[in-house]
Amino acid sequence: MGDYRKLLKQLEQKSNKTKAVKFKKHNMPKARSNGLANNKCRRCGKTGKGVIKAYHLNYCRNCFREIASSLGFKKYD
Ligand SMILES: [Zn+2]
């Protein structure tokens, strides 16, 4: 997962701000309104198909497996 915020911070700390301005104009990731990249696990931050949205869980399958019993899912082994 490339984190653009780190790069943007580095560019903004430079004395010459034109690169930061150009980055914002041309290379900044869009804020997504829908799509798989928008589904994010609230425990580990994983995105994509493995994220369970049912019952507003918003956990990925791996995290769900680890914490299901503590959430009150009884039939889960
Ligand atoms: Zn997760």
PDB file of all heavy atoms in Angstrom, residues 14-40:
ATOM      1  N   LYS A  14       9.882  21.055   1.638  1.00  0.00           N
ATOM      2  CA  LYS A  14      10.927  21.655   0.813  1.00  0.00           C
ATOM      3  C   LYS A  14      10.713  23.166   0.702  1.00  0.00           C
ATOM      4  O   LYS A  14       9.590  23.654   0.820  1.00  0.00           O
ATOM      5  CB  LYS A  14      10.891  21.048  -0.597  1.00  0.00           C
ATOM      6  CG  LYS A  14      11.434  19.639  -0.680  1.00  0.00           C
ATOM      7  CD  LYS A  14      11.328  19.132  -2.100  1.00  0.00           C
ATOM      8  CE  LYS A  14      11.617  17.660  -2.208  1.00  0.00           C
ATOM      9  NZ  LYS A  14      13.036  17.332  -2.194  1.00  0.00           N
ATOM     10  N   SER A  15      11.815  23.881   0.467  1.00  0.00           N
ATOM     11  CA  SER A  15      11.704  25.335   0.324  1.00  0.00           C
ATOM     12  C   SER A  15      10.983  25.700  -0.973  1.00  0.00           C
ATOM     13  O   SER A  15      10.254  26.682  -1.039  1.00  0.00           O
ATOM     14  CB  SER A  15      13.085  25.971   0.354  1.00  0.00           C
ATOM     15  OG  SER A  15      13.894  25.423  -0.666  1.00  0.00           O
ATOM     16  N   ASN A  16      11.201  24.908  -2.017  1.00  0.00           N
ATOM     17  CA  ASN A  16      10.512  25.129  -3.289  1.00  0.00           C
ATOM     18  C   ASN A  16       9.202  24.335  -3.289  1.00  0.00           C
ATOM     19  O   ASN A  16       9.216  23.107  -3.283  1.00  0.00           O
ATOM     20  CB  ASN A  16      11.414  24.669  -4.434  1.00  0.00           C
ATOM     21  CG  ASN A  16      10.858  25.065  -5.784  1.00  0.00           C
ATOM     22  OD1 ASN A  16       9.748  25.580  -5.871  1.00  0.00           O
ATOM     23  ND2 ASN A  16      11.619  24.819  -6.829  1.00  0.00           N
ATOM     24  N   LYS A  17       8.078  25.040  -3.298  1.00  0.00           N
ATOM     25  CA  LYS A  17       6.784  24.384  -3.120  1.00  0.00           C
ATOM     26  C   LYS A  17       6.154  23.919  -4.432  1.00  0.00           C
ATOM     27  O   LYS A  17       5.086  23.314  -4.414  1.00  0.00           O
ATOM     28  CB  LYS A  17       5.787  25.330  -2.440  1.00  0.00           C
ATOM     29  CG  LYS A  17       6.247  25.897  -1.133  1.00  0.00           C
ATOM     30  CD  LYS A  17       6.146  24.903  -0.001  1.00  0.00           C
ATOM     31  CE  LYS A  17       6.635  25.509   1.283  1.00  0.00           C
ATOM     32  NZ  LYS A  17       7.128  24.531   2.246  1.00  0.00           N
ATOM     33  N   THR A  18       6.795  24.191  -5.562  1.00  0.00           N
ATOM     34  CA  THR A  18       6.141  23.880  -6.834  1.00  0.00           C
ATOM     35  C   THR A  18       5.898  22.387  -7.002  1.00  0.00           C
ATOM     36  O   THR A  18       4.891  21.992  -7.573  1.00  0.00           O
ATOM     37  CB  THR A  18       6.981  24.374  -8.029  1.00  0.00           C
ATOM     38  OG1 THR A  18       8.309  23.910  -7.867  1.00  0.00           O
ATOM     39  CG2 THR A  18       6.948  25.866  -8.147  1.00  0.00           C
ATOM     40  N   LYS A  19       6.794  21.547  -6.466  1.00  0.00           N
ATOM     41  CA  LYS A  19       6.610  20.106  -6.620  1.00  0.00           C
ATOM     42  C   LYS A  19       5.398  19.623  -5.844  1.00  0.00           C
ATOM     43  O   LYS A  19       4.678  18.739  -6.299  1.00  0.00           O
ATOM     44  CB  LYS A  19       7.866  19.362  -6.197  1.00  0.00           C
ATOM     45  CG  LYS A  19       8.931  19.453  -7.260  1.00  0.00           C
ATOM     46  CD  LYS A  19      10.075  18.518  -7.038  1.00  0.00           C
ATOM     47  CE  LYS A  19      11.005  18.570  -8.244  1.00  0.00           C
ATOM     48  NZ  LYS A  19      12.287  17.930  -7.995  1.00  0.00           N
ATOM     49  N   ALA A  20       5.178  20.204  -4.663  1.00  0.00           N
ATOM     50  CA  ALA A  20       4.002  19.842  -3.877  1.00  0.00           C
ATOM     51  C   ALA A  20       2.731  20.255  -4.600  1.00  0.00           C
ATOM     52  O   ALA A  20       1.751  19.500  -4.644  1.00  0.00           O
ATOM     53  CB  ALA A  20       4.069  20.492  -2.504  1.00  0.00           C
ATOM     54  N   VAL A  21       2.759  21.442  -5.200  1.00  0.00           N
ATOM     55  CA  VAL A  21       1.588  21.930  -5.934  1.00  0.00           C
ATOM     56  C   VAL A  21       1.309  21.035  -7.137  1.00  0.00           C
ATOM     57  O   VAL A  21       0.170  20.638  -7.393  1.00  0.00           O
ATOM     58  CB  VAL A  21       1.813  23.396  -6.380  1.00  0.00           C
ATOM     59  CG1 VAL A  21       0.689  23.861  -7.284  1.00  0.00           C
ATOM     60  CG2 VAL A  21       1.925  24.305  -5.174  1.00  0.00           C
ATOM     61  N   LYS A  22       2.389  20.667  -7.861  1.00  0.00           N
ATOM     62  CA  LYS A  22       2.235  19.816  -9.044  1.00  0.00           C
ATOM     63  C   LYS A  22       1.755  18.423  -8.653  1.00  0.00           C
ATOM     64  O   LYS A  22       0.957  17.806  -9.356  1.00  0.00           O
ATOM     65  CB  LYS A  22       3.565  19.718  -9.795  1.00  0.00           C
ATOM     66  CG  LYS A  22       3.955  21.026 -10.425  1.00  0.00           C
ATOM     67  CD  LYS A  22       4.396  20.836 -11.842  1.00  0.00           C
ATOM     68  CE  LYS A  22       4.618  22.199 -12.468  1.00  0.00           C
ATOM     69  NZ  LYS A  22       4.631  22.145 -13.900  1.00  0.00           N
ATOM     70  N   PHE A  23       2.263  17.911  -7.512  1.00  0.00           N
ATOM     71  CA  PHE A  23       1.822  16.598  -7.057  1.00  0.00           C
ATOM     72  C   PHE A  23       0.332  16.606  -6.771  1.00  0.00           C
ATOM     73  O   PHE A  23      -0.405  15.709  -7.177  1.00  0.00           O
ATOM     74  CB  PHE A  23       2.588  16.180  -5.794  1.00  0.00           C
ATOM     75  CG  PHE A  23       2.143  14.856  -5.248  1.00  0.00           C
ATOM     76  CD1 PHE A  23       2.610  13.674  -5.770  1.00  0.00           C
ATOM     77  CD2 PHE A  23       1.237  14.806  -4.196  1.00  0.00           C
ATOM     78  CE1 PHE A  23       2.189  12.461  -5.277  1.00  0.00           C
ATOM     79  CE2 PHE A  23       0.808  13.598  -3.691  1.00  0.00           C
ATOM     80  CZ  PHE A  23       1.291  12.429  -4.241  1.00  0.00           C
ATOM     81  N   LYS A  24      -0.124  17.654  -6.086  1.00  0.00           N
ATOM     82  CA  LYS A  24      -1.546  17.753  -5.761  1.00  0.00           C
ATOM     83  C   LYS A  24      -2.391  17.843  -7.026  1.00  0.00           C
ATOM     84  O   LYS A  24      -3.473  17.263  -7.096  1.00  0.00           O
ATOM     85  CB  LYS A  24      -1.805  18.992  -4.899  1.00  0.00           C
ATOM     86  CG  LYS A  24      -1.527  18.762  -3.433  1.00  0.00           C
ATOM     87  CD  LYS A  24      -1.839  20.006  -2.637  1.00  0.00           C
ATOM     88  CE  LYS A  24      -1.223  19.948  -1.272  1.00  0.00           C
ATOM     89  NZ  LYS A  24      -1.281  21.242  -0.589  1.00  0.00           N
ATOM     90  N   LYS A  25      -1.884  18.541  -8.020  1.00  0.00           N
ATOM     91  CA  LYS A  25      -2.661  18.738  -9.236  1.00  0.00           C
ATOM     92  C   LYS A  25      -2.718  17.474 -10.092  1.00  0.00           C
ATOM     93  O   LYS A  25      -3.761  17.116 -10.614  1.00  0.00           O
ATOM     94  CB  LYS A  25      -2.062  19.894 -10.048  1.00  0.00           C
ATOM     95  CG  LYS A  25      -2.934  20.294 -11.227  1.00  0.00           C
ATOM     96  CD  LYS A  25      -2.346  21.474 -11.973  1.00  0.00           C
ATOM     97  CE  LYS A  25      -3.219  21.806 -13.169  1.00  0.00           C
ATOM     98  NZ  LYS A  25      -2.597  22.834 -14.018  1.00  0.00           N
ATOM     99  N   HIS A  26      -1.582  16.767 -10.218  1.00  0.00           N
ATOM    100  CA  HIS A  26      -1.519  15.693 -11.198  1.00  0.00           C
ATOM    101  C   HIS A  26      -1.479  14.284 -10.618  1.00  0.00           C
ATOM    102  O   HIS A  26      -1.893  13.335 -11.287  1.00  0.00           O
ATOM    103  CB  HIS A  26      -0.281  15.874 -12.091  1.00  0.00           C
ATOM    104  CG  HIS A  26      -0.282  17.149 -12.849  1.00  0.00           C
ATOM    105  ND1 HIS A  26      -1.159  17.403 -13.870  1.00  0.00           N
ATOM    106  CD2 HIS A  26       0.475  18.259 -12.722  1.00  0.00           C
ATOM    107  CE1 HIS A  26      -0.933  18.607 -14.356  1.00  0.00           C
ATOM    108  NE2 HIS A  26       0.044  19.150 -13.676  1.00  0.00           N
ATOM    109  N   ASN A  27      -0.946  14.112  -9.410  1.00  0.00           N
ATOM    110  CA  ASN A  27      -0.688  12.759  -8.921  1.00  0.00           C
ATOM    111  C   ASN A  27      -1.425  12.387  -7.642  1.00  0.00           C
ATOM    112  O   ASN A  27      -1.254  11.282  -7.145  1.00  0.00           O
ATOM    113  CB  ASN A  27       0.811  12.563  -8.693  1.00  0.00           C
ATOM    114  CG  ASN A  27       1.599  12.779  -9.958  1.00  0.00           C
ATOM    115  OD1 ASN A  27       2.087  13.873 -10.205  1.00  0.00           O
ATOM    116  ND2 ASN A  27       1.694  11.762 -10.765  1.00  0.00           N
ATOM    117  N   MET A  28      -2.198  13.262  -7.094  1.00  0.00           N
ATOM    118  CA  MET A  28      -2.903  12.980  -5.846  1.00  0.00           C
ATOM    119  C   MET A  28      -4.000  11.941  -6.089  1.00  0.00           C
ATOM    120  O   MET A  28      -4.765  12.081  -7.053  1.00  0.00           O
ATOM    121  CB  MET A  28      -3.530  14.272  -5.347  1.00  0.00           C
ATOM    122  CG  MET A  28      -4.086  14.143  -3.980  1.00  0.00           C
ATOM    123  SD  MET A  28      -3.042  14.842  -2.759  1.00  0.00           S
ATOM    124  CE  MET A  28      -4.304  15.595  -1.769  1.00  0.00           C
ATOM    125  N   PRO A  29      -4.077  10.879  -5.243  1.00  0.00           N
ATOM    126  CA  PRO A  29      -5.148   9.909  -5.425  1.00  0.00           C
ATOM    127  C   PRO A  29      -6.517  10.550  -5.182  1.00  0.00           C
ATOM    128  O   PRO A  29      -6.658  11.384  -4.298  1.00  0.00           O
ATOM    129  CB  PRO A  29      -4.864   8.860  -4.351  1.00  0.00           C
ATOM    130  CG  PRO A  29      -3.487   9.089  -3.922  1.00  0.00           C
ATOM    131  CD  PRO A  29      -3.183  10.528  -4.147  1.00  0.00           C
ATOM    132  N   LYS A  30      -7.476  10.114  -5.973  1.00  0.00           N
ATOM    133  CA  LYS A  30      -8.833  10.651  -5.836  1.00  0.00           C
ATOM    134  C   LYS A  30      -9.495  10.086  -4.589  1.00  0.00           C
ATOM    135  O   LYS A  30      -9.219   8.955  -4.192  1.00  0.00           O
ATOM    136  CB  LYS A  30      -9.686  10.225  -7.027  1.00  0.00           C
ATOM    137  CG  LYS A  30      -9.397  10.965  -8.290  1.00  0.00           C
ATOM    138  CD  LYS A  30     -10.340  10.444  -9.363  1.00  0.00           C
ATOM    139  CE  LYS A  30      -9.976  10.997 -10.716  1.00  0.00           C
ATOM    140  NZ  LYS A  30     -10.757  10.340 -11.768  1.00  0.00           N
ATOM    141  N   ALA A  31     -10.389  10.856  -3.999  1.00  0.00           N
ATOM    142  CA  ALA A  31     -11.233  10.341  -2.935  1.00  0.00           C
ATOM    143  C   ALA A  31     -12.327   9.497  -3.580  1.00  0.00           C
ATOM    144  O   ALA A  31     -13.063   9.995  -4.428  1.00  0.00           O
ATOM    145  CB  ALA A  31     -11.839  11.477  -2.153  1.00  0.00           C
ATOM    146  N   ARG A  32     -12.390   8.219  -3.207  1.00  0.00           N
ATOM    147  CA  ARG A  32     -13.312   7.294  -3.854  1.00  0.00           C
ATOM    148  C   ARG A  32     -14.684   7.351  -3.200  1.00  0.00           C
ATOM    149  O   ARG A  32     -14.794   7.394  -1.978  1.00  0.00           O
ATOM    150  CB  ARG A  32     -12.774   5.863  -3.761  1.00  0.00           C
ATOM    151  CG  ARG A  32     -11.386   5.703  -4.316  1.00  0.00           C
ATOM    152  CD  ARG A  32     -11.418   5.466  -5.794  1.00  0.00           C
ATOM    153  NE  ARG A  32     -10.057   5.535  -6.331  1.00  0.00           N
ATOM    154  CZ  ARG A  32      -9.777   5.577  -7.612  1.00  0.00           C
ATOM    155  NH1 ARG A  32     -10.741   5.556  -8.502  1.00  0.00           N
ATOM    156  NH2 ARG A  32      -8.548   5.636  -8.028  1.00  0.00           N
ATOM    157  N   SER A  33     -15.714   7.308  -4.045  1.00  0.00           N
ATOM    158  CA  SER A  33     -17.072   7.260  -3.501  1.00  0.00           C
ATOM    159  C   SER A  33     -17.612   5.839  -3.495  1.00  0.00           C
ATOM    160  O   SER A  33     -18.528   5.509  -2.763  1.00  0.00           O
ATOM    161  CB  SER A  33     -17.993   8.161  -4.308  1.00  0.00           C
ATOM    162  OG  SER A  33     -18.064   7.695  -5.640  1.00  0.00           O
ATOM    163  N   ASN A  34     -17.069   4.971  -4.339  1.00  0.00           N
ATOM    164  CA  ASN A  34     -17.471   3.568  -4.347  1.00  0.00           C
ATOM    165  C   ASN A  34     -16.313   2.725  -4.868  1.00  0.00           C
ATOM    166  O   ASN A  34     -15.256   3.247  -5.185  1.00  0.00           O
ATOM    167  CB  ASN A  34     -18.728   3.360  -5.209  1.00  0.00           C
ATOM    168  CG  ASN A  34     -18.521   3.851  -6.628  1.00  0.00           C
ATOM    169  OD1 ASN A  34     -17.472   4.347  -6.969  1.00  0.00           O
ATOM    170  ND2 ASN A  34     -19.526   3.708  -7.452  1.00  0.00           N
ATOM    171  N   GLY A  35     -16.504   1.414  -4.931  1.00  0.00           N
ATOM    172  CA  GLY A  35     -15.465   0.527  -5.436  1.00  0.00           C
ATOM    173  C   GLY A  35     -14.753  -0.220  -4.336  1.00  0.00           C
ATOM    174  O   GLY A  35     -14.892   0.095  -3.157  1.00  0.00           O
ATOM    175  N   LEU A  36     -13.977  -1.229  -4.729  1.00  0.00           N
ATOM    176  CA  LEU A  36     -13.336  -2.119  -3.762  1.00  0.00           C
ATOM    177  C   LEU A  36     -12.322  -1.395  -2.888  1.00  0.00           C
ATOM    178  O   LEU A  36     -12.149  -1.721  -1.724  1.00  0.00           O
ATOM    179  CB  LEU A  36     -12.644  -3.281  -4.486  1.00  0.00           C
ATOM    180  CG  LEU A  36     -13.543  -4.400  -4.985  1.00  0.00           C
ATOM    181  CD1 LEU A  36     -12.705  -5.432  -5.705  1.00  0.00           C
ATOM    182  CD2 LEU A  36     -14.265  -5.048  -3.830  1.00  0.00           C
ATOM    183  N   ALA A  37     -11.642  -0.416  -3.447  1.00  0.00           N
ATOM    184  CA  ALA A  37     -10.614   0.290  -2.684  1.00  0.00           C
ATOM    185  C   ALA A  37     -11.216   1.083  -1.535  1.00  0.00           C
ATOM    186  O   ALA A  37     -10.508   1.513  -0.630  1.00  0.00           O
ATOM    187  CB  ALA A  37      -9.827   1.217  -3.601  1.00  0.00           C
ATOM    188  N   ASN A  38     -12.534   1.252  -1.583  1.00  0.00           N
ATOM    189  CA  ASN A  38     -13.211   2.004  -0.535  1.00  0.00           C
ATOM    190  C   ASN A  38     -13.572   1.125   0.663  1.00  0.00           C
ATOM    191  O   ASN A  38     -13.843   1.631   1.745  1.00  0.00           O
ATOM    192  CB  ASN A  38     -14.469   2.654  -1.111  1.00  0.00           C
ATOM    193  CG  ASN A  38     -14.704   4.026  -0.556  1.00  0.00           C
ATOM    194  OD1 ASN A  38     -13.776   4.675  -0.090  1.00  0.00           O
ATOM    195  ND2 ASN A  38     -15.929   4.464  -0.588  1.00  0.00           N
ATOM    196  N   ASN A  39     -13.614  -0.209   0.444  1.00  0.00           N
ATOM    197  CA  ASN A  39     -13.911  -1.125   1.546  1.00  0.00           C
ATOM    198  C   ASN A  39     -12.631  -1.355   2.335  1.00  0.00           C
ATOM    199  O   ASN A  39     -11.679  -1.935   1.832  1.00  0.00           O
ATOM    200  CB  ASN A  39     -14.410  -2.476   1.013  1.00  0.00           C
ATOM    201  CG  ASN A  39     -15.635  -2.305   0.150  1.00  0.00           C
ATOM    202  OD1 ASN A  39     -16.278  -1.272   0.190  1.00  0.00           O
ATOM    203  ND2 ASN A  39     -15.944  -3.322  -0.619  1.00  0.00           N
ATOM    204  N   LYS A  40     -12.637  -0.929   3.558  1.00  0.00           N
ATOM    205  CA  LYS A  40     -11.415  -0.988   4.347  1.00  0.00           C
ATOM    206  C   LYS A  40     -11.688  -1.672   5.669  1.00  0.00           C
ATOM    207  O   LYS A  40     -12.678  -1.365   6.339  1.00  0.00           O
ATOM    208  CB  LYS A  40     -10.939   0.443   4.582  1.00  0.00           C
ATOM    209  CG  LYS A  40      -9.469   0.572   4.772  1.00  0.00           C
ATOM    210  CD  LYS A  40      -9.092   2.025   4.754  1.00  0.00           C
ATOM    211  CE  LYS A  40      -7.593   2.189   4.900  1.00  0.00           C
ATOM    212  NZ  LYS A  40      -7.214   3.594   4.975  1.00  0.00           N
TER     213      LYS A  40
END
